Amino acid sequence: MMQWIAPIAFILAGLLAGIIGEKVIFKKLQKFVANKRIAGGEIIFHSLHRMTFIWFVLGGFFWAILSSPLKPDIAIVMQKILTIALLYSVTLFLARLTAGFVNLFIRRAEGVPTSLISNLAKIVVLILGTLILLQTVGVQITPIVTTLGIGGLAVGLALQDTLANLFSGFYLIISKQVRTGDYVKLDGGHEGYVTDITWRNTTIKEISNNVIIVPNSKLASAIFTNYHLPVKEITLTMDVGVSYDSDLEQVERVTVEVAKEVMQEIAPQLMLNEPHIRFHTFGDFSIDFRIYMRVNEYFDQRIGKHIFIKKLHKRYQQEGIQIPFPIRDIYMQDNLNKNQV
């Protein structure tokens, strides 16, 4: 019985060290890195979550096996099991780490990451880690790779739609026709912000917070408008009509001044692109023109129109400029009626 005291002590020491390391030391280091804002620190600590506890426990069991009176063949089997667990945990850590840094790189390059690329990087690392693990424990991986290659053909034929969505997702990302964060409008009328591109579908979030799920293959072949390409800034246009009695020079001056006020409020960085109007139609009851002004992105058109209408209506009242109601003049010919009598 005395000979099992040391192994049990090593196991308990590993458990205790794992708990202390995870609950105390790990959290303090995480707060320190967060306060210092070290680049990539959050990714590293997220990848290490629960790993320090596992590694300390595995270390305790390893030393317990070395100090235990187990038979050599049993000890070798136990050591192989611990080696497999250690290599798998390291592989999982590296997979998390790779996916995190891929996301960070894409976020810095494109603004918003896509889960398709990060998940692919994680899967590649897991596959490579698994093959290395099998090779380490003495399993020949060449037959496995050959079998997977032959089986992949059958799987590919059975999963044609899935593979079509997968490669369409890669096409969308590589071509940069659609990026996460872009505001798109589909040919069916649905519109919203692209929130993610996965291995199977693209998620679009509407302004009403509803989510539209579009298969990647459908989106790749669809006709859609991307309001964030080539740039996010777009031109807001509105049609306005004034009465025929209006001084058009005054109308142009006042309208442009109001448009400048609106731009200064919602898009001051775009003031170099001055707003302007263009008269285009002698209507039935008004002279019609169109106002052009720049806003930061597609969604800003709503607030821009809201503010512009309020300010323009108030300013027109102050300046005596009329926006006429629809009017029809009807002329009656009395002589025609008398002749008919």
Side-chain angles (χ1 to χ4, degrees), residues 232-282:
K232 289 185 178 182
E233 298 84 2
I234 66 171
T235 301
L236 184 156
T237 61
M238 284 188 62
D239 290 318
V240 185
V242 294
S243 69
Y244 276 85
D245 296 331
S246 303
D247 181 351
L248 297 186
E249 295 294 335
Q250 180 192 21
V251 169
E252 182 174 7
R253 175 181 57 81
V254 171
T255 306
V256 170
E257 287 178 0
V258 173
K260 287 182 178 179
E261 291 178 9
V262 175
M263 284 188 64
Q264 186 64 42
E265 184 172 340
I266 65 174
Q269 67 274 21
L270 301 178
M271 288 301 294
L272 292 177
N273 303 295
E274 293 191 355
H276 58 278
I277 71 171
R278 291 294 180 265
F279 294 98
H280 58 77
T281 305
F282 287 102

Side-chain angles (χ1 to χ4, degrees), residues 51 54-55 58 84-94 133:
M51 291 300 166
I54 293 173
W55 292 338
L58 290 177
I84 292 173
L86 177 62
L87 290 177
Y88 182 77
S89 65
V90 172
T91 301
L92 185 59
F93 163 70
L94 292 176
L133 189 152

Side-chain angles (χ1 to χ4, degrees), residues 60-269:
F61 274 98
F62 180 78
W63 287 105
I65 292 172
L66 291 180
S67 60
S68 67
L70 292 173
K71 295 180 179 180
D73 53 346
I74 298 177
I76 291 173
V77 172
M78 295 293 292
Q79 288 177 4
K80 282 189 175 182
I81 293 174
L82 292 177
T83 302
I84 292 173
L86 177 62
L87 290 177
Y88 182 77
S89 65
V90 172
T91 301
L92 185 59
F93 163 70
L94 292 176
R96 291 178 180 176
L97 193 66
T98 302
F101 277 107
V102 168
N103 264 339
L104 179 63
F105 174 77
I106 297 175
R107 186 182 293 111
R108 289 183 176 180
E110 302 293 339
V112 184
T114 56
S115 61
L116 175 60
I117 302 297
S118 60
N119 286 339
L120 177 64
K122 182 184 292 185
I123 290 171
V124 170
V125 174
L126 286 174
I127 292 174
L128 292 176
T130 302
L131 293 176
I132 294 172
L133 189 152
L134 293 174
Q135 186 72 32
T136 302
V137 297
V139 177
Q140 294 295 324
I141 63 174
T142 303
I144 297 176
V145 174
T146 304
T147 303
L148 291 176
I150 297 173
L153 296 175
V155 173
L157 293 174
L159 300 176
Q160 290 185 22
D161 292 340
T162 301
L163 292 177
N165 287 321
L166 176 63
F167 287 109
S168 296
F170 283 120
Y171 167 74
L172 292 172
I173 294 173
I174 294 172
S175 65
K176 297 184 178 181
Q177 292 179 351
V178 178
R179 303 165 300 180
T180 48
D182 287 355
Y183 193 93
V184 298
K185 184 175 182 179
L186 307 179
D187 54 357
H190 298 291
E191 58 183 271
Y193 288 97
V194 177
T195 56
D196 196 9
I197 301 176
T198 66
W199 61 273
R200 188 177 184 277
N201 51 55
T202 298
T203 305
I204 300 174
K205 187 176 182 180
E206 294 182 309
I207 302 302
S208 59
N209 276 339
N210 295 325
V211 175
I212 305 169
I213 307 298
V214 184
N216 292 333
S217 59
K218 298 291 185 182
L219 186 61
S221 59
I223 299 174
F224 62 89
T225 304
N226 191 333
Y227 290 100
H228 283 186
L229 289 179
V231 292
K232 289 185 178 182
E233 298 84 2
I234 66 171
T235 301
L236 184 156
T237 61
M238 284 188 62
D239 290 318
V240 185
V242 294
S243 69
Y244 276 85
D245 296 331
S246 303
D247 181 351
L248 297 186
E249 295 294 335
Q250 180 192 21
V251 169
E252 182 174 7
R253 175 181 57 81
V254 171
T255 306
V256 170
E257 287 178 0
V258 173
K260 287 182 178 179
E261 291 178 9
V262 175
M263 284 188 64
Q264 186 64 42
E265 184 172 340
I266 65 174
Q269 67 274 21

Side-chain angles (χ1 to χ4, degrees), residues 41-61:
E42 184 179 352
I43 297 173
I44 295 173
F45 279 97
H46 175 73
S47 303
L48 284 172
H49 183 61
R50 301 297 184 191
M51 291 300 166
T52 52
F53 174 77
I54 293 173
W55 292 338
F56 275 118
V57 172
L58 290 177
F61 274 98

